Amino acid sequence: MNKKANPIYGIRAKLISAVSMLLVAVIMVISSTYAWFTLSTAPEVKGINTAIGANGALEMALTPVDGSDPSDETTTGKTLADINNIWGNLVQLYDDTVEDGDIYGAGKITLYPSRLVNSSIIDTDAAVLATPVYGADGRVSDVANNAIVGIYNPATEGFYKGTGYGFRGIGVSSSMSPRQLAYSNALSSGNTYISQAQKAAGTTLNTYGSTLGTIIVRHAAATETNPDTYTAVEVQTIIDMVNGISEAVNAIDDAYVQYVIAFVAATGAKMQEGETEVYAYTAVPKTSFKDAYDQVITWIGSNDTAKSAFEGVFKTVYEQLYGTDHTGTTSGTIASIATATNELPTVTEGKADYTWADTDAGDPGIRDALSPLVNTSGDKVNVNGITIAELGTDEGKSQLGTAVANQGVKVNMKSGAGVFADVADHCGNYNAAIKIKGLTYGGITFEELDAQMQTQCDAEYAKDVADAVKFVGTDRGGDTTDTNDDYFPFKEAEGANDDTPFSSMYGYIVDLSFRTNASDSNLLLQTVATDRIYDTNSSTAPSFGGGSTMSFESSANITNEQMEALVSHIKIVFFDTKEGTVYATAGLDYSEKTSNGAGFDIPMYLLDENGFIKNDDEGIKNPNAVITGLNQNQVHQVSVLVYLDGETLTNADVPASVSEALTGKLNLQFSSSASLDPMNYGDLMSSANNTPAEGEGNN
């Protein structure tokens, strides 16, 4: 779609759209025998003629290739590629004014079914999608994390491994070596384990945090004359809590095993296996991070340079998990889990009360089991900034009362506070909404008090390790001219590199930048079509959007069941461009398809964590379709990943001939939660609405 540029900058800045529209034209070619588990001609999605739009106080642009902020320049005399990087209300990825307008390669991408490697974090430095690996018999022999991000080269009309932003393809090179695949797969697997660890810890805190918070506050309020006691249910909760947080720690351990494998694979280090020289990454033990670490140190031997390089990446996290003595029995997170498990009191039938500390009568208390998880004896755990010891004083209780009145109850766990905080040091902070029971203040006992329990840790151990491994994989591991064996031996150049084009494409990413002058607003997915500038414009206005839908041409050669199965597998993932945090995922609702004359439209909605369309209590879909928050006058970079989820496609989902193509157009439209009111500008308003409001002029 062509849009006439406004040469008057002062007006242009005020006419930025309140609604952003991403237009993606797609083609699905359907085959007779393709399914996720067989090798045959496959269903595909081709991204062509992609356009994007925005207005009012919400501006949008394509993120520049270097990842910087878009500019505020005027558009006169600039190419389409330059215009796309200027704040405005339209980004067009296909230039229909020239013979070959596919300047970003969107029309060259064919999407084959794949699987998202990590649903929480999109790490574009590692594999993003997992794809099937086929044997000669056509069967799937493996599903490998091997589809990586690349950039388009117009001269060769192909996508290549490389860095940059704007429009990126996701693909696989058939010439990637086993070592390169192992590196990519291990790095992605490590990231996935870290996400699983954070999720497991968050789930544990959400499930048992109310009991934990209640225990902490009750213990803080206890006195010699009024000692704290705990029920059998609370003791059982502590037991379950230990099991839950242990799952998170195990995932962290698994993650570092994968990072070690990726590190060794990136270096190209080889070792002798009998009379054969093999790559060392194939022999890294996977039983535990300790075993993997110790084995690599043994391989290195007396090579101090190589040892320093390896320890520089892994020693800190190794000692965090296994202690400074490297045994995992006296200090470190692994030892803390063991202590908590060994010190758990037994829930005895008929026993009503359990104490904080062991009693003279030999009854085990809960302290020695709980302290490794949340150590309340020092200053690492606090309630609204007040330590547990201080809460036992009259002054502390008074401070708590004032804090609660002003900001509610907040139980904070800092680095060094125990296993819950240890997990945050590796995976990132997490929190839970809890209810504290039985808090007494000023003679009043609260039955239930809403509270927040959260970690407050500054370390980013897993991210630091992953970044260091990537450095080896991209800078050192890729330098085949370096023959310095003191670090790790670099071997011959092999497999894919920046000069090898992707042989198969599985997805693409559009990197967008947003900014708004509205305060406290959110970026929303706009399902219902609306005008990009004026909500009073008719649907015939040039600036009228298409909503968030997918439109298909009618075809007599595909059944409704096949259509539903195919379109329901198209996934659109919104994530933070630089950090990779997934904000939301959208899908299509075939049950609401409507006729558009030439075919039909299928609306798009955000999905919940289980992959179902979000509904409120009354069944209204996406009543609050928030993608992410927008801070006033700050640039927010949001990327959109489009792929075809092949996890559950079967032969029954596809028709019998590749010539029976299904052609469709995907529209993504955004809006702001803020009430945006653009100035009147007659040339962009429908004629029926061209009269200025009373007291206003058309200037």
Side-chain angles (χ1 to χ4, degrees):
M1 179 173 114
N2 292 327
K3 182 175 178 66
K4 184 178 181 181
N6 186 349
I8 307 175
Y9 171 74
I11 295 178
R12 183 206 65 80
K14 298 177 182 179
L15 291 175
I16 308 304
S17 176
V19 179
S20 304
M21 182 178 65
L22 171 61
L23 207 59
V24 182
V26 298
I27 296 176
M28 282 188 173
V29 180
I30 314 304
S31 77
S32 58
T33 58
Y34 180 81
W36 177 244
F37 298 108
T38 61
L39 182 62
S40 180
T41 306
E44 63 184 66
V45 181
K46 295 183 179 179
I48 57 174
N49 295 345
T50 306
I52 308 169
N55 86 336
L58 176 64
E59 301 174 88
M60 190 186 72
L62 193 68
T63 301
V65 67
D66 62 357
S68 61
D69 295 342
S71 74
D72 284 303
E73 301 176 13
T74 59
T75 60
T76 304
K78 291 183 170 58
T79 65
L80 177 62
D82 292 332
I83 293 172
N84 283 338
N85 298 142
I86 298 173
W87 289 114
N89 70 9
L90 182 66
V91 174
Q92 188 170 337
L93 300 184
Y94 189 91
D95 188 353
D96 52 13
T97 65
V98 297
E99 182 177 353
D100 184 7
D102 193 12
I103 59 177
Y104 296 97
K108 307 297 189 299
I109 292 182
T110 299
L111 306 186
Y112 293 98
S114 60
R115 181 177 68 200
L116 200 61
V117 168
N118 191 332
S119 60
S120 301
I121 299 290
I122 305 298
D123 184 356
T124 55
D125 291 325
V128 173
L129 297 173
T131 72
V133 178
Y134 296 100
D137 59 2
R139 294 184 174 89
V140 176
S141 60
D142 192 13
V143 179
N145 299 340
N146 57 1
I148 59 177
V149 174
I151 55 177
Y152 182 63
N153 184 339
T156 61
E157 298 186 348
F159 282 86
Y160 297 77
K161 179 182 176 183
T163 57
Y165 299 93
F167 185 90
R168 297 179 280 175
I170 305 171
V172 171
S173 173
S174 60
S175 60
M176 290 181 71
S177 70
R179 181 170 74 93
Q180 290 170 317
L181 289 174
Y183 165 80
S184 178
N185 190 63
L187 184 58
S188 298
S189 296
N191 296 339
T192 299
Y193 278 125
I194 290 299
S195 295
Q196 291 175 353
Q198 187 185 50
K199 183 176 181 179
T203 298
T204 301
L205 198 61
N206 272 288
T207 304
Y208 308 114
S210 293
T211 299
L212 179 59
T214 298
I215 289 173
I216 291 174
V217 172
R218 188 189 306 165
H219 174 63
T223 63
E224 289 186 8
T225 58
N226 185 29
D228 47 328
T229 59
Y230 306 91
T231 67
V233 172
E234 289 172 329
V235 173
Q236 183 60 51
T237 297
I238 295 174
I239 295 172
D240 295 336
M241 197 184 310
V242 171
N243 293 332
I245 201 65
S246 295
E247 181 183 341
V249 174
N250 290 338
I252 291 171
D253 195 77
D254 289 337
Y256 289 126
V257 170
Q258 294 299 318
Y259 289 144
V260 170
I261 293 172
F263 180 95
V264 177
T267 64
K270 290 188 174 183
M271 58 174 287
Q272 289 295 130
E273 192 172 87
E275 297 182 356
T276 306
E277 188 179 48
V278 299
Y279 281 113
Y281 74 82
T282 62
V284 173
K286 299 180 181 179
T287 47
S288 71
F289 175 41
K290 184 180 188 310
D291 291 342
Y293 183 98
D294 292 347
Q295 180 62 76
V296 174
I297 291 296
T298 299
W299 285 337
I300 291 173
S302 61
N303 189 328
D304 291 338
T305 303
K307 183 178 181 181
S308 176
F310 180 75
E311 289 184 338
V313 176
F314 293 104
K315 187 175 182 179
T316 296
V317 293
Y318 183 65
E319 294 186 345
Q320 285 290 324
L321 288 175
Y322 290 95
T324 54
D325 62 355
H326 299 183
T327 65
T329 59
T330 58
S331 62
T333 305
I334 301 296
S336 295
I337 288 290
T339 299
T341 301
N342 294 334
E343 296 295 334
L344 284 171
T346 302
V347 178
T348 305
E349 184 176 356
K351 183 175 176 60
D353 296 326
Y354 296 78
T355 60
W356 174 256
D358 296 347
T359 67
D360 293 337
D363 292 334
I366 67 171
R367 179 192 60 194
D368 293 341
L370 190 61
S371 292
L373 305 184
V374 183
N375 189 351
T376 61
S377 62
D379 61 355
K380 301 301 184 181
V381 177
N382 66 73
V383 181
N384 293 78
I386 308 164
T387 67
I388 302 303
E390 292 170 341
L391 284 176
T393 66
D394 291 339
E395 181 180 356
K397 293 176 181 178
S398 176
Q399 291 176 349
L400 177 62
T402 302
V404 169
N406 293 332
Q407 55 185 297
V409 178
K410 294 182 179 179
V411 181
N412 306 305
M413 298 176 286
K414 297 183 177 181
S415 295
V419 175
F420 277 100
D422 289 351
V423 171
D425 279 332
H426 293 279
C427 304
N429 288 312
Y430 53 96
N431 59 74
I434 64 173
K435 292 183 181 297
I436 293 178
K437 300 178 180 180
L439 175 63
T440 300
Y441 173 71
I444 301 175
T445 299
F446 297 92
E447 290 297 324
E448 281 191 346
L449 194 62
D450 290 334
Q452 186 81 9
M453 196 166 193
Q454 59 195 13
T455 59
Q456 292 182 331
C457 303
D458 297 325
E460 295 182 307
Y461 292 134
K463 182 178 183 300
D464 291 342
V465 168
D467 287 344
V469 171
K470 292 174 192 175
F471 173 79
V472 177
T474 56
D475 292 84
R476 293 303 304 267
D479 184 3
T480 55
T481 63
D482 189 340
T483 58
N484 179 10
D485 289 349
D486 286 339
Y487 179 72
F488 260 119
F490 292 99
K491 296 298 179 181
E492 70 283 350
E494 57 171 310
N497 52 52
D498 293 348
D499 297 325
T500 305
F502 293 164
S503 54
S504 299
M505 303 301 297
Y506 289 89
Y508 60 87
I509 296 172
V510 182
D511 301 307
L512 304 174
S513 293
F514 294 90
R515 72 178 180 184
T516 180
N517 59 6
S519 60
D520 300 323
S521 64
N522 294 313
L523 183 67
L524 310 178
L525 180 69
Q526 178 70 34
T527 297
V528 179
T530 187
D531 194 82
R532 296 199 306 270
I533 302 176
Y534 301 106
D535 57 13
T536 55
N537 274 356
S538 69
S539 60
T540 59
S543 56
F544 200 85
S548 293
T549 62
M550 191 165 215
S551 304
F552 291 97
E553 296 179 5
S554 297
S555 173
N557 297 316
I558 183 170
T559 67
N560 287 334
E561 290 76 14
Q562 290 169 332
M563 166 73 78
E564 180 175 8
L566 285 168
V567 302
S568 65
H569 285 80
I570 296 173
K571 295 294 189 297
I572 303 94
V573 182
F574 305 94
F575 66 96
D576 183 292
T577 301
K578 300 296 177 59
E579 298 298 325
T581 304
V582 172
Y583 294 134
T585 300
L588 301 173
D589 184 5
Y590 188 77
S591 68
E592 291 191 6
K593 69 170 183 167
T594 57
S595 174
N596 60 18
F600 41 87
D601 301 327
I602 303 174
M604 179 187 306
Y605 295 99
L606 295 185
L607 306 177
D608 62 22
E609 61 181 8
N610 296 315
F612 298 107
I613 294 172
K614 293 182 178 180
N615 294 278
D616 65 9
D617 293 337
E618 297 180 357
I620 299 175
K621 297 175 181 178
N622 283 186
N624 185 25
V626 175
I627 294 174
T628 185
L630 298 174
N631 295 327
Q632 188 176 27
N633 298 323
Q634 292 185 16
V635 176
H636 293 262
Q637 294 183 341
V638 179
S639 293
V640 183
L641 187 158
V642 180
Y643 76 106
L644 185 63
D645 187 355
E647 194 72 64
T648 56
L649 282 176
T650 68
N651 287 346
D653 298 330
V654 295
S657 173
V658 71
S659 62
E660 298 168 356
L662 179 67
T663 303
K665 179 178 291 184
L666 176 67
N667 299 277
L668 283 178
Q669 190 163 14
F670 302 97
S671 61
S672 170
S673 63
S675 178
L676 304 178
D677 188 16
M679 64 168 281
N680 287 352
Y681 184 70
D683 289 352
L684 297 178
M685 302 174 71
S686 296
S687 58
N689 303 306
N690 214 9
T691 303
E694 184 177 352
E696 296 181 357
N698 279 334
N699 56 342

